[in-house]
Amino acid sequence: MGVIGAYVFVSATFTVPDAPARAAVSDGFAPYFSQRWDVFAPKILRVNSAMQMQAQWRDDDGELVTGDWIDVTDMEFAAVRGIPAPSRVSKNSVNALGAYLERYDEVSEQQQERVQDTFIQRDGDGGFEAIPDEDLLAELDELGDDPDAVVSLIRYDYMLTRYLTVFGEAYYDRPIERVRWQAQYDRPNDFLHRFDDERQFPLSTTTFGWRQAQAPDDPSLIAVFDEVQDRYAGEDRS
């Protein structure tokens, strides 16, 4: 009878609106008996993000050519689009962009503005080169007070530069001189407007400036990316 009485009391405090004992009972029993939605979906997406890239290369006359924006995330999802129960979804670009933006959010607003600018400077021969790491870190350190966060961001920035450079060389089948990328955010319509053709919320983007790769290209790696892109979007990608 005591157990039944306790059960009825706890149930009543959770169901009766504004019960005086509700807060005390919730604090004592919730950690052991309650269950929240985030147990099953810890990160419910309210906005879909996509990585897009743009590349530049030199033509036969040495002139700089700028390609169109490539939706890397859309290419990955093309492999499973229209399949009700796909066996696997490749999310390399989504994962990479998410990890980068986590580091980006850790730096100051002034540092974020600088990161959205180019990381390229003129060299002594009339061309361009990547800003040396030590100069870039020193410049960013003056705009904030967390040098560890800056180092973490710049390391991942370098990784994305290499990733998208190789991706671009496989896509265009030519040496890529520099790349830049942007995060595109797409907030779906609210539930009551889920069947509307008109977009309820406009697309938004955060663009990061041009980066110039410092490491030489690996032909075997480019071949791997070329094979992956064929699998994503077919032979004709341009």
Side-chain angles (χ1 to χ4, degrees):
M1 293 297 294
V3 173
I4 295 176
Y7 176 79
V8 172
F9 172 73
V10 172
S11 300
T13 57
F14 273 99
T15 55
V16 176
D18 300 327
R22 182 171 184 173
V25 172
S26 178
D27 292 341
F29 286 89
Y32 305 100
F33 299 103
S34 67
Q35 199 169 46
R36 298 179 179 178
W37 172 252
D38 57 10
V39 172
F40 305 98
K43 292 184 179 180
I44 302 175
L45 290 178
R46 293 179 175 85
V47 177
N48 297 317
S49 59
M51 172 180 282
Q52 300 171 345
M53 67 159 291
Q54 194 174 31
Q56 289 184 334
W57 62 88
R58 299 285 175 177
D59 61 14
D60 295 338
D61 297 326
E63 297 295 328
L64 196 62
V65 180
T66 303
D68 296 329
W69 283 100
I70 304 171
D71 195 324
V72 181
T73 301
D74 185 70
M75 286 184 62
E76 292 179 344
F77 287 174
V80 297
R81 188 173 292 118
I83 302 176
S87 59
R88 180 176 178 272
V89 178
S90 179
K91 300 191 300 180
N92 291 331
S93 63
V94 174
N95 294 337
L97 180 63
Y100 181 78
L101 292 177
E102 286 180 2
R103 291 159 173 78
Y104 172 78
D105 290 337
E106 293 297 321
V107 300
S108 69
E109 183 177 349
Q110 291 77 14
Q111 290 169 330
Q112 290 179 353
E113 292 178 358
R114 178 61 186 92
V115 170
Q116 292 183 45
D117 201 352
T118 179
F119 283 1
I120 297 174
Q121 65 182 11
R122 288 191 175 274
D123 59 19
D125 300 324
F128 296 90
E129 64 180 1
I131 298 176
D133 293 340
E134 56 274 13
D135 295 345
L136 187 60
L137 290 173
E139 182 180 354
L140 287 169
D141 284 342
E142 294 180 355
L143 302 175
D145 54 5
D146 190 348
D148 292 337
V150 172
V151 171
S152 178
L153 174 62
I154 295 304
R155 285 176 176 173
Y156 215 89
D157 193 286
Y158 177 81
M159 188 283 293
L160 279 187
T161 301
R162 294 295 304 128
Y163 166 61
L164 294 177
T165 297
V166 179
F167 191 98
E169 292 192 346
Y171 186 91
Y172 288 108
D173 193 24
R174 66 183 73 230
I176 298 300
E177 184 165 325
R178 62 180 70 108
V179 296
R180 66 174 178 172
W181 59 85
Q182 66 182 13
Q184 183 184 79
Y185 307 101
D186 179 9
R187 180 179 174 183
N189 287 1
D190 293 337
F191 184 79
L192 295 178
H193 299 275
R194 63 192 184 280
F195 296 123
D196 294 354
D197 294 330
E198 184 178 353
R199 181 182 295 276
Q200 189 177 3
F201 306 101
L203 294 172
S204 60
T205 58
T206 301
T207 303
F208 300 89
W210 293 103
R211 272 63 163 159
Q212 192 151 339
Q214 303 179 52
D217 301 326
D218 185 344
S220 62
L221 184 60
I222 296 175
V224 171
F225 271 73
D226 190 66
E227 180 182 353
V228 169
Q229 291 173 12
D230 285 344
R231 187 166 66 251
Y232 286 163
E235 293 290 344
D236 186 10
R237 301 188 298 270
S238 59

